[in-house]
Amino acid sequence: MFEFGIATLILIVTILVGLPIAFSIGVATIVYMLMTNPANILVIPIRMFSGINSFTLMALPLFMFAAEIMVRTGISSKLFDFVRMTAIGKKRGGLAYVNILASTIFGSISGAALSDIAGLGRIEIDAMEEDGYDKNFSCAITAASSVESPLIPPSNIAILYAGTMSLSVGAVLYAGFIPGLILTATQMLYVLLNAKRLNLPKHEKAYTREERRAIRISGWIAMGMPLIILIGITGGFFTPTEAAAMAVLYALVVGIFVFKNLTVKMVIDSLWNAAVTTANLFLITSISAVFAWAIGLQNIPQQLAAFMTGLSSNRYIILLIINVILLIVGMWMETSAAVLLFAPILAPIAVAMGVSPIHFAVIMIVNLTIGLITPPVGVVLYATSSVGGIKFEDLVKSILPFLVLSFIALFVITMFPQVSLFLPSLLGLGQ
């Protein structure tokens, strides 16, 4: 345990001084191996390869490529217009509701909170400011609603977690659906209860019949991709990796033949961005696999489990402790890296206490995504303040009510397993 403590300290320090996360994990891993069994360094290349030698993980670059194409073809603005045109968009605070719903829907395409900010953030903030909303409030609700993205399927983080922990991809994907909707509902409830107090404006724009028709068609086409993916996986028509390939095909067909605005340059740029993101992710994945293997040889997860169960025999107390740990981790570590590094350590502890591995997957993803909007480090807060052009401290003040609601939702998701397990059980995907 002493060597593990030193390695953990090195990991934290190197991240805080700005070393890329993959290199931080690599340095900590090598130091740990040198202190325990230096001969294990010889098998690092083999373990790195085995960490990414997964058919399931092949889905990630394809989903990233599909999302890049859909964003570049203007899918984000089309989704926003589609939701804004509905009756809910015309209520007091209508654009706040639209912001939340659009992020929830867009999350099923982008699968990542930062992608939501990049793809929808500017559109949402500008539209709300144009309608008379306070800019701090607009930025706060934009940041808060982005955390649904990694939960609403198909989610890149859910696929990564399932591949890392050898779980059913379909089960983990669907397990996050209701928790994602709970976060959506708490934010919409806040808008409903405070619309008059905050003097939120109404959206008065009138649409012609032709505009309604065009917006409705574009909106349903945009939502076609996640529907095809989920129906295909659930119905057993194709695997998650094959579903990702179908998503790419769908995005290309829509961009070329429906929206007719996809150019060769867009495709090349999408390929490049997806390749760079995949390379970064797979580097972290491979190095994290080595770290997980190294600490597994020394039975560190079992020792940590024994230590935590010694603190309490109540699994919910242990889960609350793990929640605090993950929230702190989520503040300063990129979500996928945190999953790769901490899931092999913390999941066995939870499972040993009788927690379903699918339920714990959702708990971990929810914690890490809430950490993205938790000050003082939450990376989504910095991204939103940059996109919205406001001070970081002003955004923090405005997002506090949404953060409190997120913590309440997290408590419910943690304490009531069926919130996460109901859909996978209903669909026969296992627990």
Side-chain angles (χ1 to χ4, degrees):
M1 284 294 287
F2 173 76
E3 294 86 355
F4 178 72
I6 296 296
T8 303
L9 180 62
I10 291 172
L11 175 66
I12 294 171
V13 171
T14 51
I15 290 175
L16 292 178
V17 299
L19 197 66
I21 183 68
F23 298 148
S24 297
I25 299 172
V27 170
T29 301
I30 291 174
V31 170
Y32 180 77
M33 285 181 166
L34 289 173
M35 289 190 296
T36 53
N37 188 352
N40 286 334
I41 291 179
L42 297 175
V43 300
I44 286 179
I46 298 173
R47 289 294 168 181
M48 288 182 68
F49 176 75
S50 64
I52 56 175
N53 185 25
S54 167
F55 184 69
T56 299
L57 293 182
M58 285 176 60
L60 294 177
L62 292 171
F63 274 127
M64 292 173 188
F65 181 41
E68 286 281 344
I69 293 175
M70 297 296 275
V71 169
R72 290 175 191 277
T73 53
I75 186 63
S76 51
S77 59
K78 290 176 174 63
L79 276 175
F80 188 78
D81 289 340
F82 178 67
V83 179
R84 180 165 60 175
M85 190 184 68
T86 62
I88 198 169
K90 297 178 180 179
K91 296 179 180 294
R92 178 175 292 279
L95 279 193
Y97 293 119
V98 170
N99 189 322
I100 297 167
L101 286 175
S103 292
T104 302
I105 297 170
F106 188 72
S108 67
I109 297 172
S110 69
L114 285 174
S115 296
D116 179 53
I117 297 298
L120 265 178
R122 171 61 66 186
I123 297 168
E124 293 171 334
I125 293 169
D126 288 350
M128 293 180 73
E129 188 176 14
E130 184 181 328
D131 265 25
Y133 285 80
D134 175 73
K135 196 166 189 178
N136 291 338
F137 175 82
S138 302
C139 290
I141 202 166
T142 299
S145 63
S146 72
V147 301
E148 283 95 86
S149 297
L151 292 168
I152 302 297
S155 161
N156 291 336
I157 297 301
I159 293 171
L160 179 65
Y161 189 102
T164 302
M165 300 304 295
S166 300
L167 299 176
S168 164
V169 174
V172 179
L173 283 175
Y174 277 101
F177 190 73
I178 293 178
L181 293 182
I182 288 175
L183 285 169
T184 299
T186 59
Q187 293 162 5
M188 294 184 72
L189 181 62
Y190 177 81
V191 173
L192 176 67
L193 297 178
N194 293 277
K196 287 186 178 180
R197 181 180 66 83
L198 297 174
N199 194 28
L200 300 182
K202 294 183 179 180
H203 181 65
E204 305 291 351
K205 181 178 178 179
Y207 296 89
T208 65
R209 180 177 296 179
E210 291 75 17
E211 286 176 329
R212 285 181 174 277
R213 182 175 178 275
I215 291 172
R216 191 177 294 115
I217 291 173
S218 296
W220 282 113
I221 288 173
M223 291 192 288
M225 187 174 81
L227 289 175
I228 289 172
I229 293 168
L230 292 177
I231 292 172
I233 293 175
T234 307
F237 299 110
F238 34 71
T239 66
T241 302
E242 293 165 345
M246 289 296 297
V248 172
L249 177 62
Y250 183 87
L252 289 171
V253 170
V254 168
I256 295 171
F257 299 107
V258 181
F259 297 154
K260 298 180 180 179
N261 59 356
L262 184 63
T263 65
V264 173
K265 186 179 185 304
M266 286 182 181
V267 174
I268 293 173
D269 290 342
S270 298
L271 280 168
W272 175 257
N273 284 352
V276 170
T277 305
T278 301
N280 289 333
L281 178 59
F282 277 21
L283 179 61
I284 296 171
T285 304
S286 59
I287 295 176
S288 297
V290 178
F291 185 71
W293 172 76
I295 64 173
L297 290 178
Q298 304 296 321
N299 295 319
I300 296 299
Q302 291 83 353
Q303 293 179 49
L304 287 174
F307 171 75
M308 295 190 74
T309 52
L311 296 176
S312 173
S313 59
N314 188 314
R315 66 179 175 183
Y316 293 108
I317 298 297
I318 299 300
L319 284 177
L320 288 176
I321 295 172
I322 292 176
N323 277 350
V324 173
I325 294 171
L326 290 175
L327 281 172
I328 295 172
V329 169
M331 287 185 214
W332 53 270
M333 184 176 285
E334 196 269 331
T335 306
S336 57
V339 165
L340 293 166
L341 191 60
F342 288 95
I345 298 174
L346 297 177
I349 297 174
V351 172
M353 297 291 293
V355 178
S356 162
I358 302 297
H359 180 211
F360 185 77
V362 175
I363 291 174
M364 186 166 197
I365 294 171
V366 173
N367 270 287
L368 295 176
T369 52
I370 292 176
L372 294 173
I373 61 168
T374 303
V377 190
V379 293
V380 163
L381 296 181
Y382 284 99
T384 307
S385 64
S386 175
V387 168
I390 65 171
K391 293 181 179 179
F392 178 79
E393 53 268 29
D394 292 336
L395 176 57
V396 169
K397 292 177 184 176
S398 299
I399 205 171
L400 285 179
F402 296 105
L403 196 56
V404 171
L405 290 172
S406 296
F407 289 149
I408 294 172
L410 172 60
F411 180 82
V412 171
I413 293 164
T414 301
M415 295 298 158
F416 299 95
Q418 281 307 116
V419 170
S420 302
L421 300 179
F422 173 74
L423 272 183
S425 177
L426 181 68
L427 296 171
L429 297 172
Q431 300 182 16

